[in-house]
């Protein structure tokens, strides 16, 4: 989780920024992204992965006198089998008559009220939901229906008009994306004092990039400069592209990215980069609803001979 928090902090202020007229700033991404990251666990349904299971649901305990609070909490915790029963996002744990835990859809009306517009999310139904809790609870109630099958979290923030992505703009997207990924890794390397952000193997690879005097420093660079740097310092971009794939391929780790695995990256990016959706759709070259490592690398201009599964570990 700590990696993703730093990851999204970098997103707001580093090299993914396009020219000012093309980018819409997004505030508090670190807060909303932490919700997105835990949203998905694989339940394969016609090529689409459902959201993941998360931690145990909180249990609220009403007690009378303060002096009795500790004793009552211990008794309830010992009897409440839901404390260790995990339900996926949008569901809560309840017990039946035999005290057997089961997951049922959460009533959207029981979700906490949004504290601000930054908690709003937009669904693929082009409807704004107050919070991700409201979204996933609503999605759960639609399970088994055609509408529920097609409903996914689209992006962070209230629904708005997203301009169509022109061909010329689509070609520009990977230029900024590659540079951004490289700078995210460099930032993680600089902040990795406790070895919790990168593995030792990853740190060695990023160190070579970090110490390279030819490295293009983070900044608002022209597209021509980004294209020239990719051609001149191509080797610096190979690992960042592989690393991002490995960060997303988590539910499960199978060498393919699904719609829901892409959400932690897509959801915060769409409001800022209107070509995001089209870019990832076209990365799926064979239209099988999965993006393989080879397809992913190709989208970012990595040559076939440089695709290496060992780099995503």
């Amino acid at each position: 989780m700590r990696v993703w928090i730093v990851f999204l902090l970098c997103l707001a202020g580093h090299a993914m920024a396009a020219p000012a007229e093309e980018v819409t700033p997004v505030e508090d991404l670190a807060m909303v992204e932490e919700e997105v990251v835990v949203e998905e666990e694989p339940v394969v349904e016609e090529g689409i992965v459902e959201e993941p299971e998360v931690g145990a649901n909180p249990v609220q305990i009403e007690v009378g006198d303060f002096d009795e609070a500790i004793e009552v909490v211990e008794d309830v915790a010992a009897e409440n089998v839901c404390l260790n029963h995990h339900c996926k996002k949008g569901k809560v744990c309840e017990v039946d008559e035999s005290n057997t835990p089961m997951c049922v859809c959460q009533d959207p009306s029981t979700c906490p009220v949004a504290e601000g517009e930054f908690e709003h999310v937009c669904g693929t139904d082009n409807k704004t939901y107050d919070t991700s809790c409201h979204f996933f609870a609503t999605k759960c109630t639609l399970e088994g229906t055609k509408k529920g099958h097609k409903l996914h979290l689209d992006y962070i923030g209230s629904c708005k008009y997203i301009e169509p992505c022109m061909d010329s703009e689509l070609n520009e997207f990977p230029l900024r994306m590659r540079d951004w990924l490289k700078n995210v890794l460099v930032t993680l390397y600089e902040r990795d004092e406790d070895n919790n952000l990168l593995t030792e193997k990853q740190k060695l690879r990023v160190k070579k990039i970090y110490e390279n005097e030819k490295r293009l420093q983070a900044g608002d660079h022209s597209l021509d400069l980004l294209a020239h740097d990719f051609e001149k310092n191509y080797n610096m971009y190979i690992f960042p592209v592989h690393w991002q794939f490995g960060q997303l391929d988590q539910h499960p780790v199978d060498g393919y990215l699904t719609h829901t695995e892409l959400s932690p990256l897509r959801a915060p990016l769409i409001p800022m980069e209107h070509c995001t959706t089209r870019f990832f759709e076209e990365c799926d070259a064979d239209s099988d609803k999965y993006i393989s490592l080879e397809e992913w690398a190709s989208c970012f201009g990595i040559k076939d001979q440089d695709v290496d599964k060992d780099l995503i570990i």
Side-chain angles (χ1 to χ4, degrees), residues 240-294:
V241 170
H242 282 76
W243 172 80
Q244 178 63 93
F245 185 93
Q247 291 295 300
L248 296 172
D249 182 25
Q250 298 293 328
H251 307 292
V253 179
D254 59 0
Y256 294 91
L257 299 182
T258 62
H259 182 280
T260 48
E261 285 179 309
L262 281 169
S263 290
L265 182 62
R266 289 180 66 259
L269 275 181
I270 290 177
M272 296 188 294
E273 290 277 353
H274 66 282
C275 283
T276 300
T277 297
R278 184 180 171 189
F279 176 78
F280 289 125
E281 286 177 349
E282 297 197 7
C283 273
D284 181 17
D286 58 7
S287 301
D288 64 351
K289 305 298 183 181
Y290 294 89
I291 297 178
S292 67
L293 175 59
E294 290 75 15

Side-chain angles (χ1 to χ4, degrees), residues 4 31 34 50 84 138 188 199 202 205 216 228 239 271 281 303 307:
W4 283 110
M31 183 181 301
E34 184 169 359
E50 295 296 337
N84 295 315
T138 301
L188 291 178
T199 66
Q202 290 171 339
R205 289 178 174 134
L216 183 64
H228 174 73
F239 177 64
E281 286 177 349
K303 302 172 184 176
V307 177

Side-chain angles (χ1 to χ4, degrees), residues 228-248:
H228 174 73
D229 188 66
F230 178 65
E231 181 179 352
K232 181 179 179 181
N233 299 310
Y234 167 79
N235 289 331
M236 288 191 198
Y237 294 91
I238 296 175
F239 177 64
V241 170
H242 282 76
W243 172 80
Q244 178 63 93
F245 185 93
Q247 291 295 300
L248 296 172

Side-chain angles (χ1 to χ4, degrees), residues 121-135:
V121 298
C122 183
T124 49
D125 57 353
N126 201 35
K127 177 181 177 181
T128 297
Y129 295 82
D130 284 349
T131 65
S132 61
C133 175
H134 288 86
F135 170 80

